Amino acid sequence: MTHLLLICGALRRDSFNRKLLNVAAGLHSGTSEHADLNMPLYDGDLEAASGLPEAAQKLKDQIAAADAVLIATPEYNQSFSGVLKNALDWASRGEGNPWAEKPVAIVSAAAGRTGGARAQYALRLAMTPFQPRLITGPEVLVASAFEAFDEAGALKNERYLKGLQALVETLTAG
């Protein structure tokens, strides 16, 4: 049974990207859990004085324990969110690299017509130093996200749903 870590690059409880991850969790036959990226901004002085914050260490532990990771990123100003960048910075600190050879896929839901393509590109570039095994397709780029989900949080577009199902299967195939 595959354990899937779900990382949402938005803190908002009802964000489109969190909804997308919830749909993905429902398509996954194994177990899954959401990461919490609510942590202090990276600060070398804080790290020197106290080490990794508890939330950052928990994220590193969750990444290490997961069989695969699915990251959903919003697109903010043609890139991924500062919240997600901060979490990546903290996860890169301390001993070990929990991302090494870990299967990782990226999805996005955004208000624009490209569905977060620029954010995904920027995030792939930012993930490179961690040496994960990036799963590059099928791409899931949910455009006009404000129209893509019903009141219950389900994806309304069958093409998006099929693409997400195929990506989750590829990501968790082993």
Side-chain angles (χ1 to χ4, degrees):
M1 181 175 291
T2 305
H3 183 67
L4 181 61
L5 180 61
L6 307 167
I7 298 178
C8 183
L11 294 177
R12 191 168 57 89
R13 185 185 70 241
D14 292 326
S15 78
F16 299 125
N17 285 281
R18 191 167 312 281
K19 289 178 182 181
L20 189 57
L21 287 174
N22 288 336
V23 173
L27 297 171
H28 176 51
S29 60
T31 60
S32 63
E33 69 177 315
H34 285 270
D36 181 2
L37 303 190
N38 202 344
M39 58 187 72
L41 291 174
Y42 177 75
D43 178 344
D45 292 337
L46 174 64
E47 181 183 17
S50 309
L52 290 178
E54 184 178 325
Q57 186 60 58
K58 181 178 180 183
L59 176 62
K60 281 189 78 158
D61 294 344
Q62 287 176 305
I63 295 165
D67 296 307
V69 179
L70 182 61
I71 303 172
T73 182
E75 185 169 284
Y76 296 161
N77 300 312
Q78 300 186 7
S79 192
F80 61 99
S81 69
V83 166
L84 185 51
K85 176 66 167 91
N86 184 59
L88 294 176
D89 289 343
W90 273 119
S92 73
R93 307 302 296 168
E95 294 297 316
N97 175 11
W99 296 106
E101 293 303 315
K102 181 83 56 180
V104 174
I106 300 168
V107 296
S108 55
R113 65 179 183 236
T114 63
R118 291 178 180 137
Q120 283 198 29
Y121 176 78
L123 182 53
R124 280 187 179 88
L125 185 62
M127 294 294 297
T128 301
F130 306 133
Q131 300 176 327
R133 187 164 54 87
L134 284 172
I135 308 300
T136 58
E139 288 184 314
V140 177
L141 302 148
V142 178
S144 302
F146 51 88
E147 299 173 345
F149 299 90
D150 66 19
E151 297 77 32
L155 273 172
K156 296 191 289 188
N157 183 306
E158 190 67 26
R159 182 175 54 93
Y160 290 149
L161 189 59
K162 286 181 181 179
L164 185 59
Q165 174 73 51
L167 181 62
V168 168
E169 289 173 2
T170 300
L171 175 63
T172 59

